[in-house]
Amino acid sequence: MRLLFCGDVLGRTGREAVQEHVPELRKRLKLDFVAINGENAAHGFGITAKLCGEFFECGVDAITLGNHAWDQKEIISFIDSEPRLLRPRNYPAGTPGRGAGIFTTGLGKRVLLLQVDALDDPFAAVEQELARYPLGGSVHAVIIDVHAEATSEKMAIGQFADGRASLVVGSHSHIPTADAQILSKGTAYQTDAGMCGDYDSVIGMRKEPAILKFTRKIPGEKLSPAEGPGTLCAVFVETDDATGLARRIEPVRLGGRLGQTCPAP
């Protein structure tokens, strides 16, 4: 199978990058499944039902969220009705929505997409889902989005799931890391996929208000997304049909300011 995970989509420029590049990537790379992290899609803070629909229309199969999941209050009532929209799996019992989902591709393959963050024990949540849906058994691919700050925690979860997931990829820090690799037991891994947004910024936000937030300790202008050309940052993985483990992982960076890279078909 061929999988694509796009990092945190931030504001209008991030949405435009996804809408521009995902349709062509689906064709060029013959993608079976595309997931994005959409928790910053609505002007940097959360996501709306309308934006979810726009992402699905351009070829996105599923959306993960994170610590900004509830910034747009409409999502609290919407998320239960949209199985393609996932919040972190390790949120407390009774939280609206779901933290994992099974998605069937056009060729009938089953993909488990799971997200965890740092709120509660992410290792236990990962273990529960991997035990319930073993790779190569009830599902053909497993993608784990680790929405966390600490690079060590992301790497630890990658090693914890090695051999039991197709891809473990980090989100949240908005910077693409240079450690795309296949771990020793066959799981593809990258500490952070990066951001889909304007990199002439402070992690996607306008520079001046963000700098003032660090240099002055009094309330100032509210942070808002930078609006220059956006870069799509993503991770591409090709899996073995028999095992679901990774055969290939490559970063994707298209548009905007960063150095461009895209896998060969």
Side-chain angles (χ1 to χ4, degrees):
M1 294 179 64
R2 291 183 162 209
L3 314 170
L4 188 76
F5 181 87
C6 301
D8 307 55
V9 180
L10 202 150
R12 177 184 59 79
T13 59
R15 300 195 306 267
E16 290 176 350
V18 169
Q19 292 162 351
E20 176 183 357
H21 296 296
V22 163
E24 66 179 63
L25 287 170
R26 287 208 78 121
K27 294 177 182 177
R28 178 180 177 183
L29 299 178
K30 298 181 174 60
L31 296 172
D32 297 291
F33 183 80
V34 176
I36 67 170
N37 184 291
E39 70 142 8
N40 299 123
H43 205 63
F45 300 95
I47 196 169
T48 65
K50 179 177 182 292
L51 294 181
C52 288
E54 292 176 2
F55 287 133
F56 297 141
E57 287 177 9
C58 80
V60 171
D61 295 299
I63 302 168
T64 58
L65 294 172
N67 58 296
H68 288 289
W70 316 121
D71 284 2
Q72 303 296 322
K73 302 308 180 187
E74 68 178 74
I75 288 300
I76 296 174
S77 58
F78 173 74
I79 194 169
D80 279 328
S81 66
E82 180 46 83
R84 294 171 291 181
L85 181 64
L86 303 178
R87 45 79 173 166
R89 167 67 172 74
N90 55 333
Y91 275 7
T95 302
R98 54 195 64 77
I102 302 292
F103 303 91
T104 303
T105 72
L107 296 178
K109 303 292 186 180
R110 285 161 53 90
V111 178
L112 168 64
L113 176 64
L114 161 68
Q115 185 185 53
V116 291
D117 75 0
L119 180 64
D120 195 7
D121 184 358
F123 294 87
V126 167
E127 183 62 41
Q128 289 166 8
E129 291 298 328
L130 295 183
R132 185 180 181 188
Y133 299 108
L135 180 63
S138 58
V139 294
H140 301 92
V142 174
I143 301 172
I144 303 174
D145 170 12
V146 185
H147 196 75
E149 192 79 34
T151 56
S152 57
E153 185 174 26
K154 296 178 187 181
M155 175 61 82
I157 292 174
Q159 299 290 358
F160 179 75
D162 188 18
R164 301 187 291 164
S166 308
L167 169 65
V168 176
V169 59
S171 58
H172 180 62
S173 45
H174 293 199
I175 303 297
T177 55
D179 60 343
Q181 60 182 294
I182 297 176
L183 301 178
S184 59
K185 296 178 183 177
T187 293
Y189 175 83
Q190 185 168 321
T191 297
D192 201 287
M195 169 187 72
C196 298
D198 177 10
Y199 278 83
D200 186 17
S201 66
V202 176
I203 64 168
M205 295 298 186
R206 290 178 53 236
K207 292 178 282 189
E208 293 78 8
I211 293 169
L212 286 175
K213 187 175 180 181
F214 288 102
T215 58
R216 300 176 64 189
K217 297 303 180 182
I218 60 175
E221 181 181 346
K222 183 179 178 181
L223 296 179
S224 60
E227 297 194 340
T231 303
L232 179 136
C233 286
V235 177
F236 167 75
V237 172
E238 185 174 1
T239 65
D240 181 88
D241 287 339
T243 65
L245 294 172
R247 298 171 52 187
R248 176 185 175 197
I249 177 172
E250 295 188 45
V252 179
R253 296 188 300 273
L254 295 172
R257 298 171 61 86
L258 300 190
Q260 307 291 282
T261 183
C262 187

